[in-house]
Amino acid sequence: QVQLVESGGGLVQAGGSLRLSCAASGRTFSNYAMGWFRQAPGKEREFVAGITYNGGITTYADSGKGRFTISRDNAKNTLSLQMNSLKPEDTANYYCTGRRSLYIATTAEGYDYWGQGTQVTVSS
């Protein structure tokens, strides 16, 4: 089992920045690809960004390209998402995810472990 705990959410004005963090415990973190998803009220959970087991490859949804950066520190068992130039449409609950694979998936069904989520609210 892998336990994932997110932090760093909050309220920010449009154009601002937030950095989300995810602390992982349990099995070997470096064996898992990781990702971030988000879910806004009344909407389906959607892929935000993913990163391979060693951080060598990253993938982003079009909504976050050029604004979001996913990274990981395998020595510290942490995953991060730097979000810049935030927009009101980025408002959602953000989830840290892990999968029993070295490589990224872009669908929620592709992930095995989920955190509880951290709320991000962007005001206009």
Side-chain angles (χ1 to χ4, degrees), residues 63-104:
S63 58
K65 283 181 180 176
R67 300 188 300 126
F68 295 176
T69 302
I70 188 172
S71 60
R72 67 190 296 162
D73 185 336
N74 285 347
K76 297 181 178 179
N77 283 10
T78 57
L79 178 74
S80 298
L81 183 69
Q82 177 67 43
M83 303 187 296
N84 299 327
S85 302
L86 283 162
K87 306 173 182 180
E89 50 264 44
D90 294 317
T91 295
N93 205 13
Y94 283 70
Y95 296 90
C96 172
T97 65
R99 68 190 304 254
R100 292 188 296 265
S101 170
L102 302 180
Y103 301 104
I104 301 163

PDB file of all heavy atoms in Angstrom, residues 63-104:
ATOM      1  N   SER A  63      -4.877  22.153 -20.513  1.00  0.00           N
ATOM      2  CA  SER A  63      -5.303  23.251 -19.644  1.00  0.00           C
ATOM      3  C   SER A  63      -4.168  23.806 -18.800  1.00  0.00           C
ATOM      4  O   SER A  63      -4.206  24.960 -18.376  1.00  0.00           O
ATOM      5  CB  SER A  63      -6.443  22.786 -18.735  1.00  0.00           C
ATOM      6  OG  SER A  63      -6.033  21.676 -17.962  1.00  0.00           O
ATOM      7  N   GLY A  64      -3.144  22.977 -18.552  1.00  0.00           N
ATOM      8  CA  GLY A  64      -2.072  23.423 -17.676  1.00  0.00           C
ATOM      9  C   GLY A  64      -0.730  23.635 -18.351  1.00  0.00           C
ATOM     10  O   GLY A  64       0.221  24.095 -17.699  1.00  0.00           O
ATOM     11  N   LYS A  65      -0.646  23.325 -19.613  1.00  0.00           N
ATOM     12  CA  LYS A  65       0.634  23.457 -20.329  1.00  0.00           C
ATOM     13  C   LYS A  65       1.138  24.895 -20.291  1.00  0.00           C
ATOM     14  O   LYS A  65       0.380  25.834 -20.564  1.00  0.00           O
ATOM     15  CB  LYS A  65       0.489  22.992 -21.770  1.00  0.00           C
ATOM     16  CG  LYS A  65       0.460  21.490 -21.930  1.00  0.00           C
ATOM     17  CD  LYS A  65       0.330  21.082 -23.386  1.00  0.00           C
ATOM     18  CE  LYS A  65       0.294  19.574 -23.520  1.00  0.00           C
ATOM     19  NZ  LYS A  65       0.080  19.142 -24.927  1.00  0.00           N
ATOM     20  N   GLY A  66       2.398  25.032 -19.933  1.00  0.00           N
ATOM     21  CA  GLY A  66       2.996  26.353 -19.858  1.00  0.00           C
ATOM     22  C   GLY A  66       2.742  27.079 -18.548  1.00  0.00           C
ATOM     23  O   GLY A  66       3.361  28.111 -18.282  1.00  0.00           O
ATOM     24  N   ARG A  67       1.836  26.549 -17.745  1.00  0.00           N
ATOM     25  CA  ARG A  67       1.525  27.182 -16.451  1.00  0.00           C
ATOM     26  C   ARG A  67       1.858  26.281 -15.260  1.00  0.00           C
ATOM     27  O   ARG A  67       2.223  26.775 -14.199  1.00  0.00           O
ATOM     28  CB  ARG A  67       0.034  27.547 -16.390  1.00  0.00           C
ATOM     29  CG  ARG A  67      -0.409  28.519 -17.462  1.00  0.00           C
ATOM     30  CD  ARG A  67      -1.843  28.985 -17.215  1.00  0.00           C
ATOM     31  NE  ARG A  67      -2.797  27.878 -17.219  1.00  0.00           N
ATOM     32  CZ  ARG A  67      -3.652  27.637 -16.219  1.00  0.00           C
ATOM     33  NH1 ARG A  67      -3.657  28.402 -15.147  1.00  0.00           N
ATOM     34  NH2 ARG A  67      -4.494  26.613 -16.309  1.00  0.00           N
ATOM     35  N   PHE A  68       1.711  24.973 -15.447  1.00  0.00           N
ATOM     36  CA  PHE A  68       1.922  24.014 -14.351  1.00  0.00           C
ATOM     37  C   PHE A  68       3.213  23.242 -14.576  1.00  0.00           C
ATOM     38  O   PHE A  68       3.575  22.937 -15.718  1.00  0.00           O
ATOM     39  CB  PHE A  68       0.766  23.023 -14.274  1.00  0.00           C
ATOM     40  CG  PHE A  68      -0.568  23.615 -13.909  1.00  0.00           C
ATOM     41  CD1 PHE A  68      -1.695  22.812 -13.901  1.00  0.00           C
ATOM     42  CD2 PHE A  68      -0.707  24.961 -13.574  1.00  0.00           C
ATOM     43  CE1 PHE A  68      -2.939  23.331 -13.561  1.00  0.00           C
ATOM     44  CE2 PHE A  68      -1.936  25.494 -13.237  1.00  0.00           C
ATOM     45  CZ  PHE A  68      -3.057  24.671 -13.235  1.00  0.00           C
ATOM     46  N   THR A  69       3.878  22.884 -13.476  1.00  0.00           N
ATOM     47  CA  THR A  69       5.072  22.056 -13.548  1.00  0.00           C
ATOM     48  C   THR A  69       4.991  20.980 -12.480  1.00  0.00           C
ATOM     49  O   THR A  69       4.870  21.292 -11.286  1.00  0.00           O
ATOM     50  CB  THR A  69       6.342  22.884 -13.343  1.00  0.00           C
ATOM     51  OG1 THR A  69       6.407  23.927 -14.327  1.00  0.00           O
ATOM     52  CG2 THR A  69       7.579  22.003 -13.477  1.00  0.00           C
ATOM     53  N   ILE A  70       5.067  19.724 -12.912  1.00  0.00           N
ATOM     54  CA  ILE A  70       5.081  18.610 -11.983  1.00  0.00           C
ATOM     55  C   ILE A  70       6.528  18.184 -11.762  1.00  0.00           C
ATOM     56  O   ILE A  70       7.347  18.199 -12.695  1.00  0.00           O
ATOM     57  CB  ILE A  70       4.225  17.437 -12.510  1.00  0.00           C
ATOM     58  CG1 ILE A  70       4.082  16.346 -11.450  1.00  0.00           C
ATOM     59  CG2 ILE A  70       4.776  16.887 -13.810  1.00  0.00           C
ATOM     60  CD1 ILE A  70       3.084  15.256 -11.834  1.00  0.00           C
ATOM     61  N   SER A  71       6.835  17.805 -10.523  1.00  0.00           N
ATOM     62  CA  SER A  71       8.187  17.349 -10.213  1.00  0.00           C
ATOM     63  C   SER A  71       8.118  16.368  -9.054  1.00  0.00           C
ATOM     64  O   SER A  71       7.106  16.294  -8.343  1.00  0.00           O
ATOM     65  CB  SER A  71       9.095  18.530  -9.865  1.00  0.00           C
ATOM     66  OG  SER A  71       8.608  19.233  -8.732  1.00  0.00           O
ATOM     67  N   ARG A  72       9.182  15.628  -8.864  1.00  0.00           N
ATOM     68  CA  ARG A  72       9.242  14.672  -7.772  1.00  0.00           C
ATOM     69  C   ARG A  72      10.643  14.632  -7.191  1.00  0.00           C
ATOM     70  O   ARG A  72      11.624  14.899  -7.893  1.00  0.00           O
ATOM     71  CB  ARG A  72       8.812  13.282  -8.232  1.00  0.00           C
ATOM     72  CG  ARG A  72       9.738  12.621  -9.214  1.00  0.00           C
ATOM     73  CD  ARG A  72       9.102  11.347  -9.796  1.00  0.00           C
ATOM     74  NE  ARG A  72       8.894  10.342  -8.763  1.00  0.00           N
ATOM     75  CZ  ARG A  72       8.064   9.310  -8.913  1.00  0.00           C
ATOM     76  NH1 ARG A  72       7.379   9.154 -10.046  1.00  0.00           N
ATOM     77  NH2 ARG A  72       7.932   8.420  -7.936  1.00  0.00           N
ATOM     78  N   ASP A  73      10.722  14.266  -5.934  1.00  0.00           N
ATOM     79  CA  ASP A  73      11.996  14.069  -5.242  1.00  0.00           C
ATOM     80  C   ASP A  73      11.936  12.670  -4.630  1.00  0.00           C
ATOM     81  O   ASP A  73      11.318  12.471  -3.577  1.00  0.00           O
ATOM     82  CB  ASP A  73      12.189  15.146  -4.167  1.00  0.00           C
ATOM     83  CG  ASP A  73      13.551  15.066  -3.512  1.00  0.00           C
ATOM     84  OD1 ASP A  73      14.169  13.978  -3.522  1.00  0.00           O
ATOM     85  OD2 ASP A  73      13.995  16.080  -2.960  1.00  0.00           O
ATOM     86  N   ASN A  74      12.550  11.732  -5.286  1.00  0.00           N
ATOM     87  CA  ASN A  74      12.470  10.346  -4.815  1.00  0.00           C
ATOM     88  C   ASN A  74      13.227  10.135  -3.508  1.00  0.00           C
ATOM     89  O   ASN A  74      12.920   9.208  -2.760  1.00  0.00           O
ATOM     90  CB  ASN A  74      12.980   9.396  -5.891  1.00  0.00           C
ATOM     91  CG  ASN A  74      11.979   9.228  -7.023  1.00  0.00           C
ATOM     92  OD1 ASN A  74      10.811   9.619  -6.914  1.00  0.00           O
ATOM     93  ND2 ASN A  74      12.432   8.674  -8.136  1.00  0.00           N
ATOM     94  N   ALA A  75      14.193  10.960  -3.233  1.00  0.00           N
ATOM     95  CA  ALA A  75      14.922  10.843  -1.972  1.00  0.00           C
ATOM     96  C   ALA A  75      14.050  11.256  -0.788  1.00  0.00           C
ATOM     97  O   ALA A  75      14.232  10.762   0.329  1.00  0.00           O
ATOM     98  CB  ALA A  75      16.172  11.705  -2.010  1.00  0.00           C
ATOM     99  N   LYS A  76      13.098  12.142  -1.041  1.00  0.00           N
ATOM    100  CA  LYS A  76      12.217  12.638   0.019  1.00  0.00           C
ATOM    101  C   LYS A  76      10.796  12.091  -0.085  1.00  0.00           C
ATOM    102  O   LYS A  76       9.940  12.450   0.716  1.00  0.00           O
ATOM    103  CB  LYS A  76      12.174  14.164  -0.008  1.00  0.00           C
ATOM    104  CG  LYS A  76      13.509  14.820   0.276  1.00  0.00           C
ATOM    105  CD  LYS A  76      13.390  16.337   0.268  1.00  0.00           C
ATOM    106  CE  LYS A  76      14.726  16.992   0.594  1.00  0.00           C
ATOM    107  NZ  LYS A  76      14.636  18.479   0.570  1.00  0.00           N
ATOM    108  N   ASN A  77      10.559  11.243  -1.074  1.00  0.00           N
ATOM    109  CA  ASN A  77       9.222  10.675  -1.284  1.00  0.00           C
ATOM    110  C   ASN A  77       8.157  11.752  -1.408  1.00  0.00           C
ATOM    111  O   ASN A  77       7.078  11.672  -0.797  1.00  0.00           O
ATOM    112  CB  ASN A  77       8.851   9.723  -0.141  1.00  0.00           C
ATOM    113  CG  ASN A  77       9.531   8.384  -0.262  1.00  0.00           C
ATOM    114  OD1 ASN A  77      10.423   8.208  -1.098  1.00  0.00           O
ATOM    115  ND2 ASN A  77       9.148   7.442   0.584  1.00  0.00           N
ATOM    116  N   THR A  78       8.446  12.745  -2.224  1.00  0.00           N
ATOM    117  CA  THR A  78       7.489  13.834  -2.399  1.00  0.00           C
ATOM    118  C   THR A  78       7.229  14.108  -3.874  1.00  0.00           C
ATOM    119  O   THR A  78       8.098  13.923  -4.729  1.00  0.00           O
ATOM    120  CB  THR A  78       7.968  15.130  -1.741  1.00  0.00           C
ATOM    121  OG1 THR A  78       9.242  15.496  -2.284  1.00  0.00           O
ATOM    122  CG2 THR A  78       8.085  14.973  -0.235  1.00  0.00           C
ATOM    123  N   LEU A  79       6.020  14.552  -4.129  1.00  0.00           N
ATOM    124  CA  LEU A  79       5.564  14.957  -5.453  1.00  0.00           C
ATOM    125  C   LEU A  79       5.063  16.387  -5.334  1.00  0.00           C
ATOM    126  O   LEU A  79       4.456  16.741  -4.321  1.00  0.00           O
ATOM    127  CB  LEU A  79       4.430  14.055  -5.922  1.00  0.00           C
ATOM    128  CG  LEU A  79       3.786  14.368  -7.269  1.00  0.00           C
ATOM    129  CD1 LEU A  79       4.726  13.972  -8.406  1.00  0.00           C
ATOM    130  CD2 LEU A  79       2.455  13.642  -7.398  1.00  0.00           C
ATOM    131  N   SER A  80       5.330  17.201  -6.347  1.00  0.00           N
ATOM    132  CA  SER A  80       4.912  18.597  -6.296  1.00  0.00           C
ATOM    133  C   SER A  80       4.215  19.007  -7.580  1.00  0.00           C
ATOM    134  O   SER A  80       4.433  18.401  -8.636  1.00  0.00           O
ATOM    135  CB  SER A  80       6.117  19.511  -6.070  1.00  0.00           C
ATOM    136  OG  SER A  80       6.738  19.237  -4.835  1.00  0.00           O
ATOM    137  N   LEU A  81       3.407  20.033  -7.466  1.00  0.00           N
ATOM    138  CA  LEU A  81       2.789  20.651  -8.639  1.00  0.00           C
ATOM    139  C   LEU A  81       2.860  22.157  -8.435  1.00  0.00           C
ATOM    140  O   LEU A  81       2.178  22.704  -7.567  1.00  0.00           O
ATOM    141  CB  LEU A  81       1.339  20.211  -8.818  1.00  0.00           C
ATOM    142  CG  LEU A  81       0.656  20.760 -10.072  1.00  0.00           C
ATOM    143  CD1 LEU A  81       1.259  20.137 -11.337  1.00  0.00           C
ATOM    144  CD2 LEU A  81      -0.855  20.501 -10.028  1.00  0.00           C
ATOM    145  N   GLN A  82       3.706  22.811  -9.220  1.00  0.00           N
ATOM    146  CA  GLN A  82       3.799  24.264  -9.204  1.00  0.00           C
ATOM    147  C   GLN A  82       2.800  24.825 -10.198  1.00  0.00           C
ATOM    148  O   GLN A  82       2.837  24.466 -11.381  1.00  0.00           O
ATOM    149  CB  GLN A  82       5.208  24.713  -9.566  1.00  0.00           C
ATOM    150  CG  GLN A  82       5.395  26.219  -9.644  1.00  0.00           C
ATOM    151  CD  GLN A  82       5.250  26.883  -8.291  1.00  0.00           C
ATOM    152  OE1 GLN A  82       5.757  26.382  -7.295  1.00  0.00           O
ATOM    153  NE2 GLN A  82       4.567  28.020  -8.258  1.00  0.00           N
ATOM    154  N   MET A  83       1.906  25.666  -9.718  1.00  0.00           N
ATOM    155  CA  MET A  83       0.853  26.220 -10.572  1.00  0.00           C
ATOM    156  C   MET A  83       0.994  27.732 -10.612  1.00  0.00           C
ATOM    157  O   MET A  83       0.905  28.403  -9.578  1.00  0.00           O
ATOM    158  CB  MET A  83      -0.523  25.831 -10.032  1.00  0.00           C
ATOM    159  CG  MET A  83      -0.721  24.335  -9.910  1.00  0.00           C
ATOM    160  SD  MET A  83      -2.411  23.874  -9.468  1.00  0.00           S
ATOM    161  CE  MET A  83      -2.533  24.597  -7.838  1.00  0.00           C
ATOM    162  N   ASN A  84       1.234  28.261 -11.804  1.00  0.00           N
ATOM    163  CA  ASN A  84       1.391  29.694 -12.009  1.00  0.00           C
ATOM    164  C   ASN A  84       0.264  30.233 -12.882  1.00  0.00           C
ATOM    165  O   ASN A  84      -0.441  29.470 -13.542  1.00  0.00           O
ATOM    166  CB  ASN A  84       2.740  29.987 -12.663  1.00  0.00           C
ATOM    167  CG  ASN A  84       3.920  29.543 -11.824  1.00  0.00           C
ATOM    168  OD1 ASN A  84       3.881  29.575 -10.594  1.00  0.00           O
ATOM    169  ND2 ASN A  84       4.981  29.118 -12.487  1.00  0.00           N
ATOM    170  N   SER A  85       0.105  31.538 -12.881  1.00  0.00           N
ATOM    171  CA  SER A  85      -0.906  32.197 -13.710  1.00  0.00           C
ATOM    172  C   SER A  85      -2.268  31.522 -13.549  1.00  0.00           C
ATOM    173  O   SER A  85      -2.941  31.196 -14.525  1.00  0.00           O
ATOM    174  CB  SER A  85      -0.480  32.175 -15.185  1.00  0.00           C
ATOM    175  OG  SER A  85       0.767  32.799 -15.354  1.00  0.00           O
ATOM    176  N   LEU A  86      -2.659  31.317 -12.327  1.00  0.00           N
ATOM    177  CA  LEU A  86      -3.903  30.592 -12.050  1.00  0.00           C
ATOM    178  C   LEU A  86      -5.123  31.357 -12.540  1.00  0.00           C
ATOM    179  O   LEU A  86      -5.156  32.601 -12.523  1.00  0.00           O
ATOM    180  CB  LEU A  86      -4.006  30.304 -10.558  1.00  0.00           C
ATOM    181  CG  LEU A  86      -3.124  29.140 -10.086  1.00  0.00           C
ATOM    182  CD1 LEU A  86      -2.922  29.179  -8.586  1.00  0.00           C
ATOM    183  CD2 LEU A  86      -3.717  27.820 -10.520  1.00  0.00           C
ATOM    184  N   LYS A  87      -6.113  30.588 -12.960  1.00  0.00           N
ATOM    185  CA  LYS A  87      -7.359  31.119 -13.493  1.00  0.00           C
ATOM    186  C   LYS A  87      -8.522  30.620 -12.647  1.00  0.00           C
ATOM    187  O   LYS A  87      -8.423  29.550 -12.021  1.00  0.00           O
ATOM    188  CB  LYS A  87      -7.560  30.653 -14.935  1.00  0.00           C
ATOM    189  CG  LYS A  87      -6.400  30.950 -15.864  1.00  0.00           C
ATOM    190  CD  LYS A  87      -6.615  30.305 -17.224  1.00  0.00           C
ATOM    191  CE  LYS A  87      -5.451  30.544 -18.157  1.00  0.00           C
ATOM    192  NZ  LYS A  87      -5.651  29.911 -19.482  1.00  0.00           N
ATOM    193  N   PRO A  88      -9.636  31.326 -12.652  1.00  0.00           N
ATOM    194  CA  PRO A  88     -10.802  30.837 -11.888  1.00  0.00           C
ATOM    195  C   PRO A  88     -11.223  29.423 -12.289  1.00  0.00           C
ATOM    196  O   PRO A  88     -11.680  28.653 -11.438  1.00  0.00           O
ATOM    197  CB  PRO A  88     -11.880  31.874 -12.224  1.00  0.00           C
ATOM    198  CG  PRO A  88     -11.118  33.126 -12.489  1.00  0.00           C
ATOM    199  CD  PRO A  88      -9.858  32.680 -13.178  1.00  0.00           C
ATOM    200  N   GLU A  89     -11.029  29.069 -13.548  1.00  0.00           N
ATOM    201  CA  GLU A  89     -11.411  27.724 -13.990  1.00  0.00           C
ATOM    202  C   GLU A  89     -10.483  26.640 -13.463  1.00  0.00           C
ATOM    203  O   GLU A  89     -10.747  25.450 -13.650  1.00  0.00           O
ATOM    204  CB  GLU A  89     -11.485  27.646 -15.518  1.00  0.00           C
ATOM    205  CG  GLU A  89     -10.281  28.188 -16.244  1.00  0.00           C
ATOM    206  CD  GLU A  89     -10.462  29.641 -16.688  1.00  0.00           C
ATOM    207  OE1 GLU A  89     -10.972  30.472 -15.893  1.00  0.00           O
ATOM    208  OE2 GLU A  89     -10.065  29.938 -17.832  1.00  0.00           O
ATOM    209  N   ASP A  90      -9.398  27.019 -12.802  1.00  0.00           N
ATOM    210  CA  ASP A  90      -8.534  26.040 -12.139  1.00  0.00           C
ATOM    211  C   ASP A  90      -9.080  25.640 -10.773  1.00  0.00           C
ATOM    212  O   ASP A  90      -8.537  24.740 -10.125  1.00  0.00           O
ATOM    213  CB  ASP A  90      -7.125  26.596 -11.967  1.00  0.00           C
ATOM    214  CG  ASP A  90      -6.412  26.822 -13.287  1.00  0.00           C
ATOM    215  OD1 ASP A  90      -6.515  25.949 -14.172  1.00  0.00           O
ATOM    216  OD2 ASP A  90      -5.746  27.867 -13.430  1.00  0.00           O
ATOM    217  N   THR A  91     -10.127  26.299 -10.324  1.00  0.00           N
ATOM    218  CA  THR A  91     -10.723  25.976  -9.033  1.00  0.00           C
ATOM    219  C   THR A  91     -11.228  24.540  -9.021  1.00  0.00           C
ATOM    220  O   THR A  91     -12.011  24.133  -9.877  1.00  0.00           O
ATOM    221  CB  THR A  91     -11.891  26.934  -8.727  1.00  0.00           C
ATOM    222  OG1 THR A  91     -11.369  28.266  -8.587  1.00  0.00           O
ATOM    223  CG2 THR A  91     -12.608  26.531  -7.447  1.00  0.00           C
ATOM    224  N   ALA A  92     -10.742  23.755  -8.069  1.00  0.00           N
ATOM    225  CA  ALA A  92     -11.098  22.334  -7.971  1.00  0.00           C
ATOM    226  C   ALA A  92     -10.427  21.735  -6.750  1.00  0.00           C
ATOM    227  O   ALA A  92      -9.578  22.367  -6.117  1.00  0.00           O
ATOM    228  CB  ALA A  92     -10.653  21.585  -9.227  1.00  0.00           C
ATOM    229  N   ASN A  93     -10.796  20.518  -6.471  1.00  0.00           N
ATOM    230  CA  ASN A  93     -10.089  19.714  -5.489  1.00  0.00           C
ATOM    231  C   ASN A  93      -9.003  18.947  -6.250  1.00  0.00           C
ATOM    232  O   ASN A  93      -9.303  18.285  -7.257  1.00  0.00           O
ATOM    233  CB  ASN A  93     -11.049  18.756  -4.795  1.00  0.00           C
ATOM    234  CG  ASN A  93     -10.573  18.338  -3.432  1.00  0.00           C
ATOM    235  OD1 ASN A  93      -9.644  18.918  -2.874  1.00  0.00           O
ATOM    236  ND2 ASN A  93     -11.189  17.316  -2.897  1.00  0.00           N
ATOM    237  N   TYR A  94      -7.767  19.062  -5.804  1.00  0.00           N
ATOM    238  CA  TYR A  94      -6.635  18.455  -6.507  1.00  0.00           C
ATOM    239  C   TYR A  94      -6.166  17.212  -5.763  1.00  0.00           C
ATOM    240  O   TYR A  94      -5.954  17.255  -4.544  1.00  0.00           O
ATOM    241  CB  TYR A  94      -5.486  19.462  -6.633  1.00  0.00           C
ATOM    242  CG  TYR A  94      -5.727  20.489  -7.710  1.00  0.00           C
ATOM    243  CD1 TYR A  94      -6.699  21.471  -7.553  1.00  0.00           C
ATOM    244  CD2 TYR A  94      -5.000  20.465  -8.898  1.00  0.00           C
ATOM    245  CE1 TYR A  94      -6.936  22.410  -8.553  1.00  0.00           C
ATOM    246  CE2 TYR A  94      -5.226  21.401  -9.896  1.00  0.00           C
ATOM    247  CZ  TYR A  94      -6.198  22.360  -9.713  1.00  0.00           C
ATOM    248  OH  TYR A  94      -6.432  23.275 -10.713  1.00  0.00           O
ATOM    249  N   TYR A  95      -5.984  16.136  -6.533  1.00  0.00           N
ATOM    250  CA  TYR A  95      -5.629  14.845  -5.965  1.00  0.00           C
ATOM    251  C   TYR A  95      -4.253  14.385  -6.450  1.00  0.00           C
ATOM    252  O   TYR A  95      -3.954  14.438  -7.646  1.00  0.00           O
ATOM    253  CB  TYR A  95      -6.655  13.791  -6.364  1.00  0.00           C
ATOM    254  CG  TYR A  95      -8.040  14.043  -5.835  1.00  0.00           C
ATOM    255  CD1 TYR A  95      -8.950  14.796  -6.571  1.00  0.00           C
ATOM    256  CD2 TYR A  95      -8.428  13.534  -4.602  1.00  0.00           C
ATOM    257  CE1 TYR A  95     -10.219  15.043  -6.082  1.00  0.00           C
ATOM    258  CE2 TYR A  95      -9.702  13.770  -4.113  1.00  0.00           C
ATOM    259  CZ  TYR A  95     -10.586  14.522  -4.858  1.00  0.00           C
ATOM    260  OH  TYR A  95     -11.843  14.758  -4.376  1.00  0.00           O
ATOM    261  N   CYS A  96      -3.485  13.880  -5.527  1.00  0.00           N
ATOM    262  CA  CYS A  96      -2.217  13.218  -5.817  1.00  0.00           C
ATOM    263  C   CYS A  96      -2.507  11.741  -6.067  1.00  0.00           C
ATOM    264  O   CYS A  96      -3.309  11.130  -5.336  1.00  0.00           O
ATOM    265  CB  CYS A  96      -1.288  13.399  -4.625  1.00  0.00           C
ATOM    266  SG  CYS A  96       0.245  12.462  -4.677  1.00  0.00           S
ATOM    267  N   THR A  97      -1.891  11.166  -7.083  1.00  0.00           N
ATOM    268  CA  THR A  97      -2.153   9.780  -7.430  1.00  0.00           C
ATOM    269  C   THR A  97      -0.865   9.033  -7.720  1.00  0.00           C
ATOM    270  O   THR A  97       0.137   9.627  -8.135  1.00  0.00           O
ATOM    271  CB  THR A  97      -3.045   9.673  -8.679  1.00  0.00           C
ATOM    272  OG1 THR A  97      -2.327  10.191  -9.803  1.00  0.00           O
ATOM    273  CG2 THR A  97      -4.324  10.446  -8.514  1.00  0.00           C
ATOM    274  N   GLY A  98      -0.914   7.710  -7.550  1.00  0.00           N
ATOM    275  CA  GLY A  98       0.223   6.865  -7.878  1.00  0.00           C
ATOM    276  C   GLY A  98      -0.258   5.591  -8.568  1.00  0.00           C
ATOM    277  O   GLY A  98      -1.380   5.146  -8.344  1.00  0.00           O
ATOM    278  N   ARG A  99       0.601   5.069  -9.411  1.00  0.00           N
ATOM    279  CA  ARG A  99       0.219   3.837 -10.098  1.00  0.00           C
ATOM    280  C   ARG A  99       1.360   2.844 -10.065  1.00  0.00           C
ATOM    281  O   ARG A  99       2.531   3.219 -10.071  1.00  0.00           O
ATOM    282  CB  ARG A  99      -0.216   4.118 -11.537  1.00  0.00           C
ATOM    283  CG  ARG A  99       0.850   4.595 -12.485  1.00  0.00           C
ATOM    284  CD  ARG A  99       0.255   5.057 -13.803  1.00  0.00           C
ATOM    285  NE  ARG A  99      -0.542   4.057 -14.463  1.00  0.00           N
ATOM    286  CZ  ARG A  99      -0.171   3.362 -15.545  1.00  0.00           C
ATOM    287  NH1 ARG A  99       1.004   3.579 -16.077  1.00  0.00           N
ATOM    288  NH2 ARG A  99      -0.977   2.474 -16.101  1.00  0.00           N
ATOM    289  N   ARG A 100       1.003   1.561 -10.066  1.00  0.00           N
ATOM    290  CA  ARG A 100       1.972   0.479  -9.994  1.00  0.00           C
ATOM    291  C   ARG A 100       2.567   0.241 -11.389  1.00  0.00           C
ATOM    292  O   ARG A 100       2.393  -0.806 -11.991  1.00  0.00           O
ATOM    293  CB  ARG A 100       1.323  -0.779  -9.438  1.00  0.00           C
ATOM    294  CG  ARG A 100       0.927  -0.665  -7.978  1.00  0.00           C
ATOM    295  CD  ARG A 100       0.482  -2.026  -7.449  1.00  0.00           C
ATOM    296  NE  ARG A 100      -0.714  -2.514  -8.118  1.00  0.00           N
ATOM    297  CZ  ARG A 100      -1.943  -2.348  -7.664  1.00  0.00           C
ATOM    298  NH1 ARG A 100      -2.151  -1.672  -6.546  1.00  0.00           N
ATOM    299  NH2 ARG A 100      -2.969  -2.826  -8.320  1.00  0.00           N
ATOM    300  N   SER A 101       3.216   1.251 -11.867  1.00  0.00           N
ATOM    301  CA  SER A 101       3.868   1.201 -13.162  1.00  0.00           C
ATOM    302  C   SER A 101       4.933   2.287 -13.185  1.00  0.00           C
ATOM    303  O   SER A 101       4.841   3.263 -12.443  1.00  0.00           O
ATOM    304  CB  SER A 101       2.853   1.449 -14.284  1.00  0.00           C
ATOM    305  OG  SER A 101       3.500   1.625 -15.533  1.00  0.00           O
ATOM    306  N   LEU A 102       5.908   2.107 -14.062  1.00  0.00           N
ATOM    307  CA  LEU A 102       6.956   3.111 -14.175  1.00  0.00           C
ATOM    308  C   LEU A 102       6.497   4.314 -15.011  1.00  0.00           C
ATOM    309  O   LEU A 102       7.127   5.385 -14.943  1.00  0.00           O
ATOM    310  CB  LEU A 102       8.197   2.505 -14.822  1.00  0.00           C
ATOM    311  CG  LEU A 102       8.810   1.290 -14.111  1.00  0.00           C
ATOM    312  CD1 LEU A 102      10.036   0.806 -14.897  1.00  0.00           C
ATOM    313  CD2 LEU A 102       9.181   1.620 -12.680  1.00  0.00           C
ATOM    314  N   TYR A 103       5.416   4.120 -15.766  1.00  0.00           N
ATOM    315  CA  TYR A 103       5.057   5.105 -16.789  1.00  0.00           C
ATOM    316  C   TYR A 103       3.682   5.719 -16.566  1.00  0.00           C
ATOM    317  O   TYR A 103       2.829   5.159 -15.910  1.00  0.00           O
ATOM    318  CB  TYR A 103       5.178   4.461 -18.166  1.00  0.00           C
ATOM    319  CG  TYR A 103       6.578   3.969 -18.392  1.00  0.00           C
ATOM    320  CD1 TYR A 103       6.890   2.612 -18.306  1.00  0.00           C
ATOM    321  CD2 TYR A 103       7.620   4.880 -18.610  1.00  0.00           C
ATOM    322  CE1 TYR A 103       8.193   2.181 -18.449  1.00  0.00           C
ATOM    323  CE2 TYR A 103       8.923   4.442 -18.760  1.00  0.00           C
ATOM    324  CZ  TYR A 103       9.201   3.095 -18.683  1.00  0.00           C
ATOM    325  OH  TYR A 103      10.492   2.666 -18.812  1.00  0.00           O
ATOM    326  N   ILE A 104       3.472   6.873 -17.169  1.00  0.00           N
ATOM    327  CA  ILE A 104       2.324   7.725 -16.916  1.00  0.00           C
ATOM    328  C   ILE A 104       1.053   7.165 -17.534  1.00  0.00           C
ATOM    329  O   ILE A 104       1.078   6.577 -18.614  1.00  0.00           O
ATOM    330  CB  ILE A 104       2.589   9.129 -17.504  1.00  0.00           C
ATOM    331  CG1 ILE A 104       3.839   9.756 -16.882  1.00  0.00           C
ATOM    332  CG2 ILE A 104       1.374  10.040 -17.303  1.00  0.00           C
ATOM    333  CD1 ILE A 104       4.391  10.934 -17.671  1.00  0.00           C
TER     334      ILE A 104
END
